[in-house]
């Protein structure tokens, strides 16, 4: 049976980021993916490389600081894929967050970025407001700050290519079906995902296994024998609509008229993207946009951009819609307020398996660094092949 140091299951941004870093650190890496590279959550996000201004409201300062540091690194390492973009926050009479609160939040945000090149903001002159296309009635102020935007799928593919160039082996269209754990490591059985191809299952021995299967994370743990403990999670679907409407001048940070959540209106490929929703689902295999989500997103858009017509008219302008699934720890409270930090779990009973729950596209390099630390503690340090902090991505 073939053997590797680290087998990674799932080639979303988390898995490819770990593969790149682990291979660069001198380990023999195999990455197994049941579909294509980065085709699931990592192709269905809001495509922002950002600190997450709104996380300041529930005190997630360390997540924001870490994300802003990663934003800075990605702007340097992947300038063709990660680009600065202005964000506009309009404040209306009756908005939940007034000019003082926004000014305070943006000051803290700039401070947490250590005043890097994007760490500044300003109040937009009223003469510029009409160019944003927003309804002007009741508008009191507009703030502009900066974050970055990417093509999430292309970024994931670029990291996978970098991992492969370093020597990582990536197998796509293969599904892991069984993980047998013992005192020395794990034997993974996997097979062609296309069940019409009658191929025998293949096996590989791995000293360490990293489960980065996104929303399928607990389904993957069900494949482990002997059985392993799982963290209770919530799966929350986020949907986006792409409208055949010319793109806005930047990203509009809007307060939902239904529940005060933040919803973004985003320029995307010459059109207008709106997202996102938060709908609890039972299984990643049940994801799919609902009529209630379409009503929610179009209702908000029609409210702020009345010149583009009412909800019914906007429905005819939907070019595409997509859903991604967030993995959030099960806790009391609204999904919107639950922490977005990545959770990593390895247990005494199964010391060769690391499981990754949740996270953000923006922080994939940080997640990879922590996962590699876990692997190095088990495998020892190897002669390094490359410094990923200097490898450009394109
Ligand atoms: C709606 C939404 C918007 C978001 N917006 C942003 C944003 O703007 N900025 C940001 O930083 N973050 C954002 N995020 C978070 C970010 O998108 C995710 O954290 C990230 O994409 C998760 O990547 P992943 O690799 O963990 O999971 P995934 O990309 O889902 O990858 C998991 C992979 O595992 C594979 N897999 C599963 N089971 C098996 C098996 N048995 N065998 C083989 N392969 C398997 C799947 O096919 C899949 O490709 C958003 C998330 C959502 C849901």
């Amino acid at each position: 049976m073939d053997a590797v140091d680290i087998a990674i299951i799932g080639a979303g941004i988390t898995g490819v980021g770990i593969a790149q870093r682990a291979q660069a650190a001198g380990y023999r890496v195999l990455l197994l993916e049941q579909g294509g590279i980065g085709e699931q959550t990592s192709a269905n996000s809001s495509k922002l490389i950002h600190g997450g201004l709104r996380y300041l409201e529930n005190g997630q300062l360390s997540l924001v600081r870490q994300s802003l540091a990663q934003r800075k690194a990605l702007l340097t390492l992947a300038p063709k894929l990660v680009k600065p973009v202005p964000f506009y926050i309009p404040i209306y009479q009756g908005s939940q967050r007034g000019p003082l609160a926004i000014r305070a939040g943006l000051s803290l945000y700039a401070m947490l970025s250590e005043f890097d090149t994007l760490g500044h903001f300003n109040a937009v002159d009223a003469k510029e407001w009409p160019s944003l296309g927003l309804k002007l009635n009741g508008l009191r102020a507009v703030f502009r700050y900066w974050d970055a935007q990417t093509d999430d799928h292309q970024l994931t593919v670029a990291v996978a290519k970098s991992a492969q160039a370093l020597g990582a082996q990536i197998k796509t269209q293969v599904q892991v079906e069984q993980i047998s754990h013992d005192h020395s490591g794990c034997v993974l059985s996997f097979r062609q995902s296309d069940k019409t191809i009658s191929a025998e299952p293949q096996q590989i021995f791995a000293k360490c296994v990293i489960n980065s299967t996104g929303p399928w994370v607990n389904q993957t743990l069900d494949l482990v024998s002997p059985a392993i403990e799982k963290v209770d999670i919530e799966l929350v679907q986020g949907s986006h609509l792409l409208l055949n409407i010319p793109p806005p001048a930047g990203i509009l940070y809007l307060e939902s008229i239904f529940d005060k959540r933040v919803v973004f209106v985003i320029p995307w490929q010459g059109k207008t993207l709106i997202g996102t929703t938060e709908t609890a689902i039972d299984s990643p295999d049940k994801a799919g946009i609902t009529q209630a989500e379409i009503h929610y997103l179009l209702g908000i858009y029609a409210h702020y951009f009345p010149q583009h017509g009412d909800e019914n008219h906007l429905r005819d302008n939907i070019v595409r819609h997509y859903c991604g699934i967030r993995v959030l720890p099960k806790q009391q409270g609204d999904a919107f307020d639950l922490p977005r930090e990545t959770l990593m779990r390895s247990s005494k009973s199964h010391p060769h398996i690391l499981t990754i729950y949740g996270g953000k596209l923006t922080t994939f390099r940080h997640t990879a660094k922590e996962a590699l630390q876990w692997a190095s503690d088990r495998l020892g340090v190897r002669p390094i092949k490359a410094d990923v902090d200097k490898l450009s991505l394109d």
Side-chain angles (χ1 to χ4, degrees), residues 60-82:
Q60 298 187 65
L61 294 196
S62 69
L63 173 67
V64 175
R65 185 187 289 112
Q66 184 194 102
S67 305
L68 289 170
Q70 290 302 324
R71 178 187 76 179
K72 185 176 175 186
L74 284 169
L75 282 163
T76 309
L77 294 173
K80 288 190 198 141
L81 290 169
V82 178

Tab-separated table of all heavy atoms in Angstrom, residues 60-82:
chain	number	residue	atom	x	y	z
A	60	GLN	N	-15.426	40.432	17.996
A	60	GLN	CA	-14.459	39.438	17.487
A	60	GLN	C	-13.196	40.149	16.971
A	60	GLN	O	-12.810	40.021	15.806
A	60	GLN	CB	-15.108	38.598	16.394
A	60	GLN	CG	-16.307	37.799	16.899
A	60	GLN	CD	-16.826	36.839	15.836
A	60	GLN	OE1	-16.155	35.919	15.434
A	60	GLN	NE2	-18.035	37.076	15.377
A	61	LEU	N	-12.547	40.882	17.901
A	61	LEU	CA	-11.421	41.733	17.498
A	61	LEU	C	-10.250	40.931	16.949
A	61	LEU	O	-9.598	41.336	15.989
A	61	LEU	CB	-10.911	42.560	18.692
A	61	LEU	CG	-11.847	43.618	19.261
A	61	LEU	CD1	-11.071	44.584	20.139
A	61	LEU	CD2	-12.555	44.382	18.164
A	62	SER	N	-9.980	39.758	17.578
A	62	SER	CA	-8.798	39.024	17.117
A	62	SER	C	-9.043	38.449	15.724
A	62	SER	O	-8.134	38.418	14.894
A	62	SER	CB	-8.371	37.952	18.122
A	62	SER	OG	-9.324	36.941	18.135
A	63	LEU	N	-10.286	38.037	15.445
A	63	LEU	CA	-10.607	37.547	14.093
A	63	LEU	C	-10.414	38.681	13.080
A	63	LEU	O	-9.840	38.495	12.009
A	63	LEU	CB	-12.051	37.027	14.039
A	63	LEU	CG	-12.560	36.645	12.659
A	63	LEU	CD1	-11.833	35.425	12.118
A	63	LEU	CD2	-14.063	36.358	12.669
A	64	VAL	N	-10.873	39.875	13.434
A	64	VAL	CA	-10.771	41.010	12.503
A	64	VAL	C	-9.294	41.369	12.271
A	64	VAL	O	-8.856	41.545	11.123
A	64	VAL	CB	-11.569	42.228	13.025
A	64	VAL	CG1	-11.356	43.440	12.132
A	64	VAL	CG2	-13.057	41.892	13.113
A	65	ARG	N	-8.515	41.408	13.342
A	65	ARG	CA	-7.097	41.755	13.210
A	65	ARG	C	-6.380	40.723	12.319
A	65	ARG	O	-5.651	41.076	11.402
A	65	ARG	CB	-6.433	41.833	14.594
A	65	ARG	CG	-4.990	42.310	14.476
A	65	ARG	CD	-4.214	42.263	15.773
A	65	ARG	NE	-4.632	43.265	16.732
A	65	ARG	CZ	-5.256	42.998	17.876
A	65	ARG	NH1	-5.522	41.764	18.211
A	65	ARG	NH2	-5.588	43.959	18.705
A	66	GLN	N	-6.637	39.453	12.623
A	66	GLN	CA	-6.004	38.364	11.858
A	66	GLN	C	-6.419	38.442	10.373
A	66	GLN	O	-5.590	38.298	9.483
A	66	GLN	CB	-6.509	37.058	12.470
A	66	GLN	CG	-5.940	35.799	11.913
A	66	GLN	CD	-6.812	34.636	12.393
A	66	GLN	OE1	-7.627	34.132	11.637
A	66	GLN	NE2	-6.658	34.221	13.636
A	67	SER	N	-7.701	38.714	10.125
A	67	SER	CA	-8.190	38.771	8.739
A	67	SER	C	-7.573	39.957	7.998
A	67	SER	O	-7.248	39.860	6.812
A	67	SER	CB	-9.713	38.895	8.713
A	67	SER	OG	-10.297	37.852	9.442
A	68	LEU	N	-7.415	41.078	8.711
A	68	LEU	CA	-6.834	42.251	8.053
A	68	LEU	C	-5.367	41.997	7.702
A	68	LEU	O	-4.885	42.431	6.648
A	68	LEU	CB	-6.987	43.486	8.944
A	68	LEU	CG	-8.431	44.011	9.051
A	68	LEU	CD1	-8.546	45.072	10.146
A	68	LEU	CD2	-8.903	44.601	7.715
A	69	ALA	N	-4.662	41.262	8.562
A	69	ALA	CA	-3.255	40.925	8.263
A	69	ALA	C	-3.208	40.011	7.033
A	69	ALA	O	-2.336	40.149	6.168
A	69	ALA	CB	-2.612	40.246	9.471
A	70	GLN	N	-4.179	39.097	6.936
A	70	GLN	CA	-4.228	38.193	5.781
A	70	GLN	C	-4.619	38.947	4.510
A	70	GLN	O	-4.144	38.628	3.423
A	70	GLN	CB	-5.210	37.037	6.045
A	70	GLN	CG	-4.728	36.066	7.094
A	70	GLN	CD	-3.381	35.446	6.735
A	70	GLN	OE1	-3.093	35.177	5.589
A	70	GLN	NE2	-2.531	35.248	7.735
A	71	ARG	N	-5.485	39.935	4.661
A	71	ARG	CA	-5.849	40.778	3.506
A	71	ARG	C	-4.589	41.426	2.933
A	71	ARG	O	-4.357	41.412	1.724
A	71	ARG	CB	-6.846	41.850	3.975
A	71	ARG	CG	-7.286	42.824	2.914
A	71	ARG	CD	-8.144	43.947	3.474
A	71	ARG	NE	-7.359	44.959	4.184
A	71	ARG	CZ	-7.867	46.046	4.756
A	71	ARG	NH1	-9.181	46.251	4.749
A	71	ARG	NH2	-7.082	46.922	5.358
A	72	LYS	N	-3.767	41.966	3.844
A	72	LYS	CA	-2.539	42.646	3.421
A	72	LYS	C	-1.610	41.656	2.701
A	72	LYS	O	-1.066	41.947	1.630
A	72	LYS	CB	-1.850	43.206	4.671
A	72	LYS	CG	-0.632	44.031	4.383
A	72	LYS	CD	-0.098	44.601	5.681
A	72	LYS	CE	1.202	45.327	5.428
A	72	LYS	NZ	1.801	45.754	6.695
A	73	ALA	N	-1.458	40.458	3.271
A	73	ALA	CA	-0.559	39.464	2.672
A	73	ALA	C	-1.068	39.051	1.290
A	73	ALA	O	-0.286	38.952	0.332
A	73	ALA	CB	-0.462	38.246	3.588
A	74	LEU	N	-2.379	38.833	1.164
A	74	LEU	CA	-2.923	38.356	-0.123
A	74	LEU	C	-2.859	39.438	-1.207
A	74	LEU	O	-2.690	39.130	-2.386
A	74	LEU	CB	-4.358	37.856	0.066
A	74	LEU	CG	-4.437	36.475	0.728
A	74	LEU	CD1	-5.862	36.143	1.142
A	74	LEU	CD2	-3.907	35.396	-0.219
A	75	LEU	N	-2.993	40.704	-0.801
A	75	LEU	CA	-2.875	41.783	-1.797
A	75	LEU	C	-1.472	41.773	-2.399
A	75	LEU	O	-1.275	42.109	-3.565
A	75	LEU	CB	-3.158	43.141	-1.134
A	75	LEU	CG	-4.636	43.454	-0.888
A	75	LEU	CD1	-4.786	44.587	0.124
A	75	LEU	CD2	-5.338	43.826	-2.189
A	76	THR	N	-0.479	41.364	-1.607
A	76	THR	CA	0.905	41.317	-2.093
A	76	THR	C	1.183	40.031	-2.868
A	76	THR	O	1.799	40.054	-3.923
A	76	THR	CB	1.878	41.381	-0.879
A	76	THR	OG1	1.494	42.482	-0.089
A	76	THR	CG2	3.321	41.527	-1.316
A	77	LEU	N	0.703	38.886	-2.323
A	77	LEU	CA	1.036	37.593	-2.941
A	77	LEU	C	0.207	37.298	-4.186
A	77	LEU	O	0.639	36.540	-5.046
A	77	LEU	CB	0.808	36.445	-1.936
A	77	LEU	CG	1.731	36.422	-0.721
A	77	LEU	CD1	1.277	35.345	0.261
A	77	LEU	CD2	3.167	36.163	-1.157
A	78	ALA	N	-1.006	37.840	-4.244
A	78	ALA	CA	-1.908	37.506	-5.357
A	78	ALA	C	-2.530	38.776	-5.942
A	78	ALA	O	-3.752	38.916	-5.990
A	78	ALA	CB	-3.002	36.557	-4.856
A	79	PRO	N	-1.692	39.717	-6.436
A	79	PRO	CA	-2.255	40.999	-6.885
A	79	PRO	C	-3.206	40.879	-8.076
A	79	PRO	O	-4.056	41.741	-8.265
A	79	PRO	CB	-1.013	41.835	-7.237
A	79	PRO	CG	0.084	40.846	-7.438
A	79	PRO	CD	-0.233	39.651	-6.592
A	80	LYS	N	-3.074	39.785	-8.850
A	80	LYS	CA	-3.994	39.650	-10.002
A	80	LYS	C	-5.332	39.078	-9.557
A	80	LYS	O	-6.329	39.177	-10.256
A	80	LYS	CB	-3.387	38.710	-11.045
A	80	LYS	CG	-2.218	39.347	-11.775
A	80	LYS	CD	-1.835	38.464	-12.950
A	80	LYS	CE	-0.440	38.822	-13.408
A	80	LYS	NZ	0.345	37.645	-13.800
A	81	LEU	N	-5.352	38.420	-8.396
A	81	LEU	CA	-6.573	37.739	-7.946
A	81	LEU	C	-7.277	38.468	-6.798
A	81	LEU	O	-8.454	38.226	-6.541
A	81	LEU	CB	-6.229	36.319	-7.474
A	81	LEU	CG	-5.815	35.335	-8.567
A	81	LEU	CD1	-5.238	34.074	-7.962
A	81	LEU	CD2	-7.031	35.002	-9.419
A	82	VAL	N	-6.541	39.273	-6.077
A	82	VAL	CA	-7.119	39.962	-4.910
A	82	VAL	C	-6.908	41.463	-5.111
A	82	VAL	O	-5.773	41.926	-5.177
A	82	VAL	CB	-6.434	39.482	-3.602
A	82	VAL	CG1	-6.988	40.225	-2.399
A	82	VAL	CG2	-6.611	37.971	-3.441
